[in-house]
Amino acid sequence: MPRVAIGIGSNQGDAVKTVANAIDVLRSQLQGAQASSLYRTAPMYIENQPEFINAVVVGETEISVRPLLLRMKEIEHEFGRIATIPNGPRVLDLDVLIFGALLYRGFAMRDRPMIVPHPRIAERRFVLEPLAEVAPSWVIPGAGKVSDLAASPTLVDQDVRRLVDAAVSL
């Protein structure tokens, strides 16, 4: 079974609770699932919006990459996500970051392109830091080792803070 990584983000409503609940759902969807801590992160691309809560879950799946992405979109919808502007505020965002050693280029839904590994993974500290917590030695196809990417000096200016609040039990 392929090992997969799913990125989780929220910056609307009770984002901590939303991400914690999404982790629980992903644990039921993936075998041997491991979740990172939660991280409070500054928004990228569109900065005039609330901070995000981010996390990563890794585990194994029996389904292929396209059905996995479609399932992530269903979960987002179940949490109340409504299509908004790209990179804008959202109740829940679930990204298929890595799917084993697969390099995939295709379409997920209608005209929505899907690229795995996620095409911007190496520029996002809010993904790499939690991923390094649960899978530091994982090599991202076409990008490199997670721990090396997370330590890149190009990411130091991104505001990513691990939450140590014991109210969230993972």
Side-chain angles (χ1 to χ4, degrees), residues 17-39:
K17 183 177 180 181
T18 297
V19 171
N21 289 340
I23 288 170
D24 288 341
V25 170
L26 290 174
R27 282 187 169 141
S28 73
Q29 303 286 312
L30 302 173
Q31 295 178 18
Q34 292 180 285
S36 72
S37 300
L38 304 187
Y39 290 78

Side-chain angles (χ1 to χ4, degrees), residues 38-154:
L38 304 187
Y39 290 78
R40 184 174 306 280
T41 66
M44 288 183 72
Y45 314 114
I46 298 176
E47 296 177 5
N48 187 19
Q49 61 180 317
E51 290 183 313
F52 279 85
I53 300 298
N54 292 101
V56 169
V57 172
V58 298
E60 294 181 340
T61 184
E62 294 180 348
I63 64 175
S64 63
V65 67
R66 188 172 182 276
L68 180 63
L69 175 76
L70 295 174
R71 180 63 188 128
M72 296 304 105
K73 296 305 164 196
E74 288 173 2
I75 294 168
E76 288 177 352
H77 181 73
E78 291 165 8
F79 274 75
R81 179 158 181 189
I82 299 169
T84 60
I85 58 172
N87 302 310
R90 64 213 55 190
V91 170
L92 180 64
D93 186 34
L94 298 174
D95 288 327
V96 177
L97 302 171
I98 307 167
F99 192 95
L102 181 68
L103 294 170
Y104 178 83
R105 305 292 184 266
F107 288 91
M109 299 174 291
R110 287 175 237 139
D111 60 345
R112 284 192 61 190
M114 178 182 180
I115 301 171
V116 177
H118 194 285
R120 293 185 302 272
I121 195 169
E123 71 185 43
R124 293 178 169 181
R125 184 172 166 212
F126 68 85
V127 170
L128 291 168
E129 197 161 323
L131 185 57
E133 182 183 330
V134 292
S137 61
W138 199 346
V139 176
I140 301 169
K145 187 175 173 182
V146 169
S147 60
D148 294 341
L149 293 168
S152 171
T154 63

